[in-house]
Every structure is written in C-alpha cells, then in structure tokens.
C-alpha cells in the first residue's frame, strides 16, 4: 500500500460567510503564516528545534575557537587597502567570482575591525537559519511525517559542512548560498499550491542573488526546479502535467531564471578561460566524479570517521569507511527503487542522477582540470541539501512493506528518532578530527604572540617579510607576508618605514631587532673625523661593491648637532627621514634592481650631518646572526687522519680555513669590514603613531 501523501500547506478553507476583511485574508495567505508556522507545530518539530539548539551550541563553540586562514588574510588586506571599490568587489574570492562575498569581507574588516568573534556569531546564526529552512522545506514536501527527522539530521549534522562553517572564506560561499537555495525552493513550492505573483518573483530575486554568489549556484538553481517539479508530480501523478503546471503558469519567470543560469556559466567560463569546453583528459573527469561522489556519500552517513585532514577535507587511509557509507546509501536508494512503479519515485531517482550529472558537466566544462578537482568537494557540500530534498520528494511515494507496517515493534516515531540520533552520533568521530584542524591553532598562536609584542611596543616599526609556511603558503607570493596577516590585528604596526629601532617578526611571532647580514659597506670616507659630510647639495656615497637586485636593507649611522630631514636616493626611489642630534642609527628597506652608490642630502643650508657607516644587505633577526668567533660544526668535529702529527693542535678558532663563512666570523672591529651590523646602541627617539 502507498504511504498517505499529506500536503504541506493547509487545505483551502471554504465558508458560506467570510467576515474577515480582504487585508486579513491576504495576511493569512502569507508564506510565513501558511508554511513556516505550521512547520514548527507538533512533537517532531519540537525534536527538530532541540537538534537545532544542539547544532548551534556545537557549531558556535567550535567556530569561536577558530581563527583566520591563509585564504582570509589577502581578502581582508585588500579590503583595508582598496575599500568598497569596483576593483575590490570584482576580485576573486577563494577562486570564485562573488560580489556579495567580497562585500561581506569589507563589512567584516571595516565594521567589526576583523573581529573573529563577529565571524563566529554570523556563522552560528546562518547555521540556525539554514537548519530552520531545511525543516520548513521538508515539512512542505513530507507534511507531518516522522521521516523528516532523519533527513533533517543528515543535512544539519553532516561533517562536510564544518569547512563551510569554520573557514571564513568558505563560510561566505556556503551558508548564504544554502540559505538562498532553501528560501527560493520554499517560496516556489508554496507558490505551486497557492499562486501569488509577488511570492514567485520574490523567489526569482533569491535565485538571482544565489547566481551572483557562487559557482555552485548553477547546479543549485537546477535543483530548485527539480524539487518544485517533484512536489507537483506527487500531487498530479504525471510529469507532463507537473511541467505544464509549473512552467506553463509563469513561463517568463523560468525564462528569466534560465537566462541567469546561462549568464553565470558564461561568467565562469570567461574567468577560467583554460577550462572552456575542456576536460584536460578523461583522468580529470574521473577524479572529479570520484571526489564528488565520495564527498556526498560520506557526508550522508557522517564519515569517514577515521583518517587525516588535508586542507579542509578529511581523507581516510583505509577503504572500509567508503564501503560502509556506500552500503548505507545503496540500502536507502533500494527503498525507493522498490517503489519505482510510482511516478514520483521514478522522477526522484532520475532527478538525483540528473542533478549529479549536471553538476559534474558544469564543473568540468567551465574549469581547467586542476580547478575542477579542487572545487569538487565544495560542490558536493552545496549539493547535499538539494539531494536530500529530492530524496524527500521520492519518499512521498514509497511503499512500506506489509510485514514492516504491521510489525508490533515498528513505531514510526521511535524509528525516526533513533535514526536521527544515529546520524548525530555518527558525525562525532569525524568532527573530532576535523574541528581541531580547522581551528588553525598555529595561526592563532603566531598572531597572539605578535599582538602581545605590539601591545608592549606600540610605536614599533616592522620590517615586512615572509611568514612561516604553516601560516601561509609561500606559493601565494607577495601575499604571504607579515603585513598581510597583520591586517587582522587590533593594533596593526607600521611597516617598512625608516626607523632607529626597526624590528622583524621571527617564526614564533616575536619582535626581534634587525641587523644587516652579508652587508656591503660604503667606500672609505673622504672627510677625516666626519665620514661623509652630507649637506644641502647631494653627496654620492659609493659602495665597495654593487648591490644586487631585490629587497635590501639600508643602515646609516650618523652624528650631528642639527635637526632636519635627510633624503636618500636609490635609482628607483627616494627615502626621507628626520635626523636628530647626537649619535644615531637608522634602517629602512628598499626594493631595487641594483645600485653601486647612494645619493644623500639634507634640507638645511647651513647644517651638516656626518655619516660614519653605510651598510646595505639582507635584513635578519639579530638572534639569527652567528656569534662572532663562534666555532662552526666542522671545527668541533675531530677529523680522522691516516698519519700522526707532531704539531701541537691549535684552537678551532685559530685554524686557517678557506670556507667563505669563516672570514665573517673573525671580522675586524672596523665597521667597513663588518659583514653584519646592528643599529647604534643609542637608538633614535621612539616614533609616535599618527
């Protein structure tokens, strides 16, 4: 026998006399009053609310313990530098074109000051809204049936959603997209029962926001049509009648949606020109299909339960999790296949296949092979709610075997609650492995240490440089720098300005004094007792050797009894800094293609600045500089000899050596001969923050 189909909306009530005014009747027919409120009545809804509270606490606590990632820092730095400009809004967000996501990045940076607490709050609220809308749509499709509960638990507690909850960049591409998809689906399903032009076009607005948001939106828009058609097939019993009813009633609406889908596909293809109508061979297609199916199947059952985390995904080193997950999914599909003579069940089975094929085709034809494989897990995470809704459509026509239906121990409510709890418990082992990896403890420790150091020295000027590989990949190029990650700090320092107390950030996030390593000094000074006398007229300070191209650190030690501004020119740029009375030292970085002399001058007509030391080289932390005269590893290891020696052994430091590093270890006290220098012990006056 067929399970009774229960319509999700209240039947239209007729009465010989309707005293309510027209405005009141219109209010009663709103989506909120006819769909949302009834969905949250009854014991199943109460249990669903309890699961939602559990989800909110779990996700909220886990996300609050998270931190920014290497995908977040460049976007926040660009938002701070460019503001709400067209160049910023049109930029790439996690490899996708998403103007709404870029706008939200700007809001987080400018409104909240890059507060992770605000991100955790928004993430938790969006997760609650997505869960509530999932329950509403399931109630529209399945009515008051208890089977809604396990389906709801699958969508809400799937571990594959953790990446789209805790990773800020992926959060902006996942949760808002899921919310818009569910909202558009709910509005159109309700419109099919009780047509209203305003409601239908509200759904179109949601779909266009969806298409503007993410690359996964094309497949999700197709899923909206499949779910709406499926609910209509369940009512009419005919695919042809359902298609005529849904599309024929408002053809302009669906033509508009189709044009929006085509526009998004063209945009995706133009953005990744290498992927236009290319698959990069059968191997890449197989990889995409394998990754997509694996992610969906494991996501349904909460797997893989064991393994390791790579990027934002969890991979298992054994095959049994995939085998178990496949067996569970096949068993679930078999329930529908057994009832495949029912039209709506056949439609749901074909819709599942059509949605997966459509998503794969769009993915491989609009992205190059590598990008398609990388985006496959993201696509699977977005498709999971849509696939569950299509399964719900098929369950409207499933046949319950008589032996099960009449069994004494078969209680639909108990079975639904037990399955729901099993789904939640199944997601725990995977989540316990995923969550700590996604919380980015290394990033938090590095930036917390740097923030504490800056609180102690709020006038610090920092030499910009690369961050550790564990914080940002070096393949990100110029984005993988301290100045990029420091955007999220509440007390962001100045970078690369001339300073008498320049600092550098070490691998742990501590501030260290800077020295010039392997430096090239200036030639012998022409003025005895003054060095290079710098006045109003430019003075050329030649170096002993030409400086190679790239980033270099310049150190100038000077003394004067005047105050003013000194200007130092390289072939590429001019650097200016204030001079102070007494013996001072200043350091500043330059980016050059190479030079062999520096040009210096001051503003004053009468004053003179005596420059005693000029050194150009690589900047490094003073703690990383080898100690002068320290023995090398080769010096401390006694080398075996085949013949004895009557010559008394010498100290390792006295042994002659041709190794290039040994001369620097025994460098003389002459500044011109020193290969690594540090600023004068009397630093310049602390710079005040503007």
């Amino acid at each position: 026998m067929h399970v009774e189909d229960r319509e999700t909306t209240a039947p239209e009530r007729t009465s010989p006399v309707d005293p309510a005014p027209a405005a009141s009747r219109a209010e009663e027919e709103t989506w909120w009053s006819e769909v949302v409120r009834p969905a949250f009545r009854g014991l199943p809804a109460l249990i669903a609310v309890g699961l939602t509270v559990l989800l909110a606490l779990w996700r909220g606590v886990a996300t609050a313990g998270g931190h920014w990632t290497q995908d977040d820092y460049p976007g926040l730095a660009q938002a701070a530098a460019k503001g709400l400009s067209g160049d910023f809004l049109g930029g790439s967000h996690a490899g996708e074109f998403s103007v709404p996501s870029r706008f939200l990045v700007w809001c987080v940076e400018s409104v909240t000051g890059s507060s992770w607490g605000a991100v955790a709050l928004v993430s938790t609220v969006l997760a609650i809204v997505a869960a509530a809308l999932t329950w509403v749509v399931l109630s529209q499709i399945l009515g008051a049936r208890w089977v809604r509960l396990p389906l709801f638990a699958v969508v809400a507690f799937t571990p594959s959603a953790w990446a789209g909850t805790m990773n800020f960049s992926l959060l902006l591409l996942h949760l808002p997209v899921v919310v818009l998809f569910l909202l558009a689906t709910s509005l159109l399903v309700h419109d099919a029962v009780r047509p209203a032009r305003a409601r239908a076009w509200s759904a179109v607005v949601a779909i266009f926001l969806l298409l503007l948001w993410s690359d996964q939106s094309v497949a999700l828009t197709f899923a909206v049509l499949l779910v709406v058609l499926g609910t209509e097939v369940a009512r009419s019993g005919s695919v042809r009648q359902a298609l005529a009813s849904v599309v024929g009633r408002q053809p302009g609406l669906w033509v508009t949606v189709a044009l929006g889908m085509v526009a998004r596909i063209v945009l995706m293809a133009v953005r990744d020109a290498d992927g236009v109508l290319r698959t990069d061979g059968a191997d890449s297609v197989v990889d995409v299909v394998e990754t997509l199916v694996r992610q969906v199947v494991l996501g349904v059952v909460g797997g893989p339960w064991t393994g390791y985390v790579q990027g934002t995904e969890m991979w298992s080193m054994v095959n049994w999790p995939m085998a178990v997950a496949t067996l569970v999914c096949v068993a679930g599909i078999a329930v529908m296949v057994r009832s495949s003579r029912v039209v709506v069940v056949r439609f749901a089975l074909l819709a599942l296949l059509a949605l997966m094929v459509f998503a794969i085709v769009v993915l491989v034809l609009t992205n190059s092979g590598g990008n398609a494989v990388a985006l496959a897990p993201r696509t699977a995470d977005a498709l999971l709610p849509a696939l569950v809704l299509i399964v719900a459509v098929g369950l409207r026509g499933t046949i319950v075997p008589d032996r099960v239906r009449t069994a004494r121990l078969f209680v639909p409510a108990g079975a639904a609650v037990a399955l729901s709890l099993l789904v939640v418990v199944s997601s725990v082992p995977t989540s316990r492995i995923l969550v700590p990896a996604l919380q980015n403890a290394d990033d938090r420790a590095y930036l917390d240490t740097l923030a504490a150091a800056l609180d102690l020295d709020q006038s610090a000027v920092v030499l910009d440089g690369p961050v550790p590989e564990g914080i940002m990949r070096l393949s990100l190029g110029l984005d993988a720098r301290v100045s990029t990650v420091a955007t999220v700090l509440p007390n962001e320092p100045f970078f690369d300005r001339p300073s008498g107390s320049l600092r550098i950030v070490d691998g742990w996030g501590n501030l260290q004094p800077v020295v010039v390593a392997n430096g090239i000094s200036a030639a012998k000074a022409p003025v005895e007792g003054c060095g290079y006398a710098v006045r109003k007229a430019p003075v050329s300070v030649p170096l002993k050797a030409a400086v190679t191209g790239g980033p270099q650190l310049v150190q100038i030690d000077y003394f004067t009894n005047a105050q003013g501004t000194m200007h130092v020119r390289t072939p590429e740029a001019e650097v200016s800094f204030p001079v102070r009375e007494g013996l001072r030292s200043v350091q500043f970085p330059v980016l050059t293609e190479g030079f062999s002399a520096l040009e210096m001058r001051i503003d004053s007509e009468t004053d003179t600045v005596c420059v005693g030391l000029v050194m150009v080289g690589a900047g490094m932390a003073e703690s990383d500089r080898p100690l002068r005269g320290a023995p090398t590893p080769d010096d401390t290891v006694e080398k075996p000899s085949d013949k004895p020696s009557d010559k008394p052994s010498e100290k390792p430091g006295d042994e002659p050596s041709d190794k290039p590093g040994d001369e620097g270890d025994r460098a003389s006290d002459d500044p011109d001969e020193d290969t690594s220098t540090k600023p004068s012990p009397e630093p310049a006056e602390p710079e005040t923050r503007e």
Side-chain angles (χ1 to χ4, degrees), residues 518 626-627 629-630 632 657-667 675:
N518 301 320
L627 295 176
T632 64
S657 174
D658 295 332
K659 295 195 295 286
D662 288 351
E663 288 188 5
D665 292 341
R666 299 191 306 274
T675 59

Side-chain angles (χ1 to χ4, degrees), residues 351-365:
L352 288 173
L353 180 62
L355 180 58
M356 292 292 289
V357 171
F358 181 81
I360 292 169
V361 169
V362 172
L363 194 58
V364 300
L365 293 185

Side-chain angles (χ1 to χ4, degrees), residues 109 130 154 188 205 277 298 309 453 455 459 464 511 563 577 648 676:
E109 195 283 326
V154 167
L188 288 176
V205 172
L277 301 180
L298 290 175
V309 179
D455 286 340
S459 62
D464 201 6
L511 291 180
Q563 292 188 2
F577 56 88
S676 63

Side-chain angles (χ1 to χ4, degrees), residues 29-156:
E29 295 175 359
T30 61
W31 170 76
W32 180 265
S33 62
E34 291 200 342
V35 175
V36 178
R37 287 180 180 175
F40 288 95
R41 294 172 184 163
L43 183 58
L46 183 62
I47 298 175
V49 170
L51 291 176
T52 303
V53 172
L54 175 63
L55 175 72
L57 293 174
W58 194 6
R59 294 278 175 87
V61 172
T63 306
H67 203 263
W68 311 100
T69 69
Q70 61 183 3
D71 296 322
D72 306 330
Y73 303 124
L76 293 168
Q78 293 170 17
K82 299 179 180 180
L84 201 60
S85 62
D87 184 32
F88 171 74
L89 292 176
S92 174
H93 180 84
E96 299 186 26
F97 176 79
S98 178
V99 173
S101 295
R102 298 286 280 183
F103 174 75
L104 291 179
V105 170
W106 175 83
C107 290
V108 169
E109 195 283 326
S110 60
V111 177
T112 71
S114 299
S115 168
W116 183 256
V119 172
L121 177 61
V122 171
S123 173
T124 305
V125 170
L126 285 175
I128 294 173
V129 173
L133 285 174
T134 300
W135 181 256
V136 168
V137 180
L138 287 173
S139 299
Q140 289 179 267
I141 297 173
L142 294 169
R145 292 172 61 178
W146 279 91
V147 73
R148 292 175 295 169
L149 271 179
L151 296 178
F152 169 78
V154 167
V155 176

Side-chain angles (χ1 to χ4, degrees), residues 432-607:
R432 290 185 63 183
I433 299 174
L434 264 174
V435 169
L438 294 174
Q439 286 181 325
N440 301 303
D442 292 342
D443 294 53
R444 178 180 288 276
Y446 178 84
L447 287 170
D448 284 350
T449 302
L450 179 55
L454 291 172
D455 286 340
L456 295 176
D457 187 3
Q458 298 187 6
S459 62
V461 179
V462 178
L463 178 65
D464 201 6
V467 295
E469 178 75 14
I471 307 300
M472 293 184 73
R473 297 189 309 270
L474 297 182
S475 59
L476 293 174
L478 294 179
D479 284 335
R481 304 185 69 78
V482 176
S483 58
T484 302
V485 301
T487 306
V488 303
L489 296 177
N491 187 23
E492 186 178 355
F494 294 121
F495 285 95
D496 292 349
R497 294 188 178 186
S499 175
S501 56
L502 194 64
R503 296 291 183 263
I504 193 171
V505 183
D506 64 15
W508 302 100
N510 299 298
L511 291 180
Q512 300 280 357
V514 183
V515 296
V516 180
N518 301 320
I520 300 174
S521 61
K524 187 175 180 180
V527 181
E528 185 176 355
C530 181
Y532 288 90
V534 179
R535 299 185 177 89
K536 178 73 171 179
V539 174
S540 178
V541 179
L543 302 177
K544 289 183 176 180
V547 174
T548 57
Q552 300 288 346
L553 182 66
V554 178
Q555 178 175 327
I556 299 175
D557 290 359
Y558 68 90
F559 64 91
T560 183
N561 60 358
Q563 292 188 2
T565 302
M566 178 180 286
H567 307 276
V568 181
R569 174 172 290 278
T570 66
E572 291 77 21
E574 182 177 277
V575 179
S576 302
F577 56 88
V579 294
R580 301 287 187 264
E581 294 181 359
L583 177 62
R584 303 287 181 175
S585 179
V586 66
Q587 295 172 318
F588 56 88
V590 294
L591 183 62
T592 180
E593 296 180 358
F595 59 87
S596 58
L598 293 171
E599 185 180 278
M600 303 182 187
R601 63 182 178 87
I602 61 174
D603 290 339
S604 175
E605 294 281 356
T606 59
D607 295 326

